[in-house]
Amino acid sequence: MSTMQTIHDVQVLICDPEGDPIAAERDALDLIGNASYQGAQWVVIPAERFDASFFQLSTRVAGDIVQKFVNYRVGLVVMGDISNYTEDSSALRDFIRECNRGRQTWFVADAEELGERLKG
């Protein structure tokens, strides 16, 4: 079950770590629709909810999912430890670094880091 929270005056939909895996665009669209309905500006998805293919950039799953969030102007946060994926992929590390420079998609370790990012 997802919950709405206000963090530094920003409406955030926080997805439960338990739930269906996020593996394709249609999964993203369901979350975007739910977030939009509830008035959320950001959706926080625990890293463990993503199918492993999300972290393998050659599959294009991450790009497709991120693009859906961009198209619907809802921010995406991937929260949690993904070091097992990044240690072997310089391309993924570069992708994460570029995402974290922007204002649309972030990869954060925990709720504290998210709070700092949302402060402005």
mmCIF file of all heavy atoms in Angstrom, residues 50 53 65 96 118:
data_model
loop_
_atom_site.group_PDB
_atom_site.id
_atom_site.type_symbol
_atom_site.label_atom_id
_atom_site.label_comp_id
_atom_site.label_asym_id
_atom_site.label_seq_id
_atom_site.Cartn_x
_atom_site.Cartn_y
_atom_site.Cartn_z
ATOM 1 N N PHE A 50 12.005 -2.772 -7.926
ATOM 2 C CA PHE A 50 12.336 -2.804 -9.345
ATOM 3 C C PHE A 50 12.857 -4.175 -9.743
ATOM 4 O O PHE A 50 13.662 -4.773 -9.040
ATOM 5 C CB PHE A 50 13.392 -1.750 -9.689
ATOM 6 C CG PHE A 50 12.851 -0.363 -9.710
ATOM 7 C CD1 PHE A 50 12.977 0.459 -8.607
ATOM 8 C CD2 PHE A 50 12.207 0.131 -10.830
ATOM 9 C CE1 PHE A 50 12.473 1.747 -8.611
ATOM 10 C CE2 PHE A 50 11.685 1.418 -10.853
ATOM 11 C CZ PHE A 50 11.831 2.221 -9.741
ATOM 12 N N SER A 53 16.059 -6.025 -14.318
ATOM 13 C CA SER A 53 16.267 -5.471 -15.662
ATOM 14 C C SER A 53 16.306 -3.945 -15.660
ATOM 15 O O SER A 53 16.910 -3.335 -16.542
ATOM 16 C CB SER A 53 15.181 -5.968 -16.624
ATOM 17 O OG SER A 53 13.911 -5.528 -16.207
ATOM 18 N N ILE A 65 10.900 3.693 -18.287
ATOM 19 C CA ILE A 65 10.164 4.057 -17.083
ATOM 20 C C ILE A 65 10.415 5.518 -16.720
ATOM 21 O O ILE A 65 9.475 6.274 -16.445
ATOM 22 C CB ILE A 65 10.525 3.111 -15.912
ATOM 23 C CG1 ILE A 65 9.895 1.733 -16.189
ATOM 24 C CG2 ILE A 65 10.062 3.677 -14.572
ATOM 25 C CD1 ILE A 65 10.289 0.649 -15.207
ATOM 26 N N ILE A 96 23.011 7.331 -13.083
ATOM 27 C CA ILE A 96 22.548 7.793 -11.771
ATOM 28 C C ILE A 96 23.092 9.191 -11.483
ATOM 29 O O ILE A 96 22.358 10.067 -11.015
ATOM 30 C CB ILE A 96 22.957 6.788 -10.674
ATOM 31 C CG1 ILE A 96 22.153 5.496 -10.850
ATOM 32 C CG2 ILE A 96 22.759 7.381 -9.273
ATOM 33 C CD1 ILE A 96 22.658 4.339 -10.015
ATOM 34 N N LEU A 118 14.650 17.445 -1.169
ATOM 35 C CA LEU A 118 13.389 18.175 -1.315
ATOM 36 C C LEU A 118 13.406 19.543 -0.633
ATOM 37 O O LEU A 118 12.541 20.361 -0.898
ATOM 38 C CB LEU A 118 12.219 17.333 -0.796
ATOM 39 C CG LEU A 118 11.869 16.125 -1.645
ATOM 40 C CD1 LEU A 118 10.793 15.279 -0.957
ATOM 41 C CD2 LEU A 118 11.413 16.543 -3.038
#
